[in-house]
Amino acid sequence: AQKITQTQPGMFVQEKEAVTLDCTYDTSDPSYGLFWYKQPSSGEMIFLIYQGSYDQQNATEGRYSLNFQKARKSANLVISASQLGDSAMYFCAMREGWSSGSRLTFGEGTQLTVNP
Amino acid sequence: SAVISQKPSRDICQRGTSLTIQCQVDSQVTMMFWYRQQPGQSLTLIATANQGSEATYESGFVIDKFPISRPNLTFSTLTVSNMSPEDSSIYLCSVEVRTAGYGYTFGSGTRLTVV
């Protein structure tokens, strides 16, 4: 079964508007972490935001916030005030467990296009 | 957080040849991860490299095809051997960071085209 599911292959948003990118996950481990990365066309992976399974509050980093709904196993990324430079591929990823060396499992990604 | 220098950034290689990709980290790290990203797809873990021991490969990846070296805590190489066009991908190394926050840092990637 897929551990990370991103159901939106592509999303479009107008500049200055907010957009939500969906991510659901599947794990039986009570200790896990959820990540969002941005990958521009250059190919580099840019870390955006992290949410731990025991964190009481939703993570925020500037224009990025994570809508963490633990019971629904969802971790949606909200980008506020979209900019043209936000156009990129966005990946949701999960780490299960807390031991050193735990790997990340990635979703299929969502291609975001910001229109002027 | 850690900074990773990955080389080369891109290469075009003839089928049947090999390419070695290098990742240098500016701090000591226990584990390094190597990923492959085929065109239009997500990242897939190739192997986990621990200093001083053999790398641990994921299902579908073998050491003869993707030999990995990890001579010290700041450096690792991945070789793509006997290349075919199906090996055309972006290859990325990554490390786990547990100081000043938490996350995984990635190298800038190697865009490989096999012709």
Side-chain angles (χ1 to χ4, degrees), chain A residues 6-114:
Chain A
Q6 295 180 253
T7 58
Q8 306 156 314
M11 287 285 286
F12 295 86
V13 64
Q14 287 297 121
E15 194 177 7
K16 300 180 184 178
E17 292 185 350
V19 63
T20 298
L21 306 183
D22 294 342
C23 173
T24 57
Y25 60 93
D26 182 27
T27 181
S28 57
D29 195 318
S31 177
Y32 56 89
L34 298 158
F35 301 79
W36 278 92
Y37 286 87
K38 171 184 178 182
Q39 187 181 44
S41 57
S42 58
E44 60 186 311
M45 294 290 285
I46 301 169
F47 168 72
L48 297 178
I49 198 166
Y50 165 75
Q51 181 85 43
S53 59
Y54 297 116
D55 293 344
Q56 295 296 314
Q57 294 187 330
N58 287 348
T60 61
E61 290 286 350
R63 294 187 299 113
Y64 305 107
S65 60
L66 202 152
N67 184 1
F68 182 44
Q69 298 189 42
K70 197 170 183 177
R72 295 186 177 185
K73 293 189 175 180
S74 73
N76 299 338
L77 176 70
V78 180
I79 305 175
S80 63
S82 297
Q83 302 172 356
L84 296 177
D86 293 335
S87 293
M89 182 70 83
Y90 288 79
F91 290 99
C92 180
M94 177 174 64
R95 168 200 50 79
E96 295 176 277
W98 189 244
S99 60
S100 177
S102 297
R103 91 280 297 279
L104 287 179
T105 302
F106 287 84
E108 293 303 308
T110 296
Q111 180 69 48
L112 176 66
T113 302
V114 180

Side-chain angles (χ1 to χ4, degrees), chain B residues 18-35:
Chain B
S18 297
L19 176 72
T20 296
I21 301 166
Q22 301 179 5
C23 279
Q24 177 75 52
V25 190
D26 68 347
S27 58
Q28 294 184 338
V29 293
T30 304
M31 297 286 191
M32 291 184 74
F33 304 91
W34 286 97
Y35 290 86

Side-chain angles (χ1 to χ4, degrees), chain B residues 97-111:
Chain B
V97 177
R98 294 197 179 206
T99 57
Y102 180 78
Y104 291 76
T105 298
F106 285 81
S108 53
T110 297
R111 192 180 294 269

